[in-house]
């Protein structure tokens, strides 16, 4: 006889995997932003031109 599916457990596992993937993506984005100071300088230039 086959096992009865545990939908709540399966859903929690999918949600957990999705959250981990999202966190990893945000961490990679943050790390990429910190590694390139040229991008930060470009974002600051329009602010100094307004003054």
């Amino acid at each position: 006889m086959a096992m009865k599916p545990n939908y709540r457990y399966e859903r929690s596992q999918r949600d957990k995997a999705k959250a981990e993937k999202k966190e990893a993506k945000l961490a990679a984005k943050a790390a990429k932003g910190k590694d390139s100071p040229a991008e930060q300088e470009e974002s600051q230039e329009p602010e100094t031109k307004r003054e």
Side-chain angles (χ1 to χ4, degrees):
M1 188 169 171
M3 290 180 52
K4 183 177 177 183
N6 188 344
Y7 295 113
R8 288 184 182 168
Y9 176 76
E10 291 173 5
R11 175 65 183 237
S12 68
Q13 292 299 310
R14 286 194 306 269
D15 291 344
K16 183 179 177 183
K18 186 176 178 180
E20 288 175 357
K21 185 177 179 181
K22 186 175 181 180
E23 186 176 327
K25 188 176 181 181
L26 289 173
K29 187 176 180 181
K32 184 178 179 184
K34 290 181 182 178
D35 290 340
S36 56
E39 291 179 5
Q40 292 176 356
E41 291 175 7
E42 291 175 3
S43 65
Q44 292 177 357
E45 286 180 16
E47 294 174 6
T48 58
K49 290 180 182 178
R50 291 180 193 164
E51 292 179 4

